[in-house]
């Protein structure tokens, strides 16, 4: 199967809008010539120039606007998702005036926060029993070796601090 060429969203929408406008402007010119009369060659050149000029201007402006407002933020969102998938916790801010893109950005931020909270919560959940066991062992050996007991309790307190900082 032949692979089609990848086109940007801005290019596809710009070309489709341009062809639609050119088609309808051409149909209008044809209808005007048919209704009001006149020479077909004169109408062709008169309307063809307008159709070409307006269509080219529309193509350029639509492409620039769509690229800046839609395609570029989507590319940045995609890069953020790949970074999050690779394990990065920080996000570069994505500023946009488009509501749907802001919703996607908020969703990514929520996913990042939940992932960060879930990892810390899961770590805390699995570490708590081990820390409690260390505290119990320190209490048992306190009567035989108070120095070792104190060292175990200090290490346990440091681990607790690390867990608290992670969440």
């Amino acid at each position: 199967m032949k692979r089609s060429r990848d086109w940007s969203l801005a290019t596809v929408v710009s070309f489709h809008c341009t062809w639609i406008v050119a088609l309808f402007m051409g149909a209008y010119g044809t209808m005007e010539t048919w209704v009001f009369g006149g020479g077909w060659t004169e109408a062709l050149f008169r309307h063809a120039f307008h159709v070409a000029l307006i269509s080219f201007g529309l193509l350029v402006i639509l492409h620039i606007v769509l690229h800046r407002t839609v395609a570029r933020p989507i590319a940045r969102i995609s890069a953020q998702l790949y970074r999050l998938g690779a394990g990065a916790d920080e996000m570069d801010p994505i500023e946009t005036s488009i509501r749907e893109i802001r919703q996607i950005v908020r969703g990514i931020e929520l996913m990042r926060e939940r992932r960060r909270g879930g990892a810390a919560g899961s770590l805390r959940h699995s570490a708590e029993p081990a820390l409690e066991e260390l505290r119990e062992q320190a209490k048992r050996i306190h009567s035989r070796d108070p120095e070792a007991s104190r060292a175990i309790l200090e290490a346990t307190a440091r681990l607790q601090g690390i867990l608290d900082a992670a969440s």
Side-chain angles (χ1 to χ4, degrees), residues 35-158:
V35 169
F36 296 116
W40 285 100
T41 55
E42 177 189 335
L44 176 69
F45 287 113
R46 184 180 60 208
H47 285 291
F49 178 72
H50 289 98
V51 168
L53 186 63
I54 291 172
S55 296
F56 180 73
L58 178 69
L59 175 70
V60 170
I61 290 170
L62 266 177
H63 185 75
I64 290 169
V65 168
L66 286 172
H67 183 74
R68 286 184 181 170
T69 60
V70 177
R72 191 179 300 160
I74 288 174
R76 292 187 67 206
I77 288 170
S78 177
Q80 293 289 4
L81 288 171
Y82 276 104
R83 287 182 53 206
L84 285 174
D89 280 335
E90 297 304 316
M91 277 185 57
D92 295 333
I94 298 174
E95 297 295 326
T96 182
S97 61
I98 298 178
R99 180 179 351 132
E100 292 82 1
I101 294 177
R102 280 195 317 260
Q103 289 173 341
I104 293 170
V105 170
R106 280 194 301 267
I108 293 170
E109 290 170 353
L110 178 64
M111 180 176 59
R112 181 180 58 89
E113 289 298 322
R114 284 185 178 168
R115 190 183 84 180
R116 181 186 293 165
S122 173
L123 178 64
R124 174 180 294 284
H125 181 69
S126 61
E128 283 295 333
L131 287 173
E132 192 57 39
E133 185 180 339
L134 282 172
R135 287 184 190 108
E136 291 299 320
Q137 292 294 333
K139 288 177 187 175
R140 280 190 214 131
I141 64 169
H142 182 69
S143 62
R144 289 181 284 176
D145 190 0
E147 188 64 31
S149 175
R150 189 171 53 80
I152 292 172
L153 288 173
E154 287 174 0
T156 305
R158 283 195 305 270

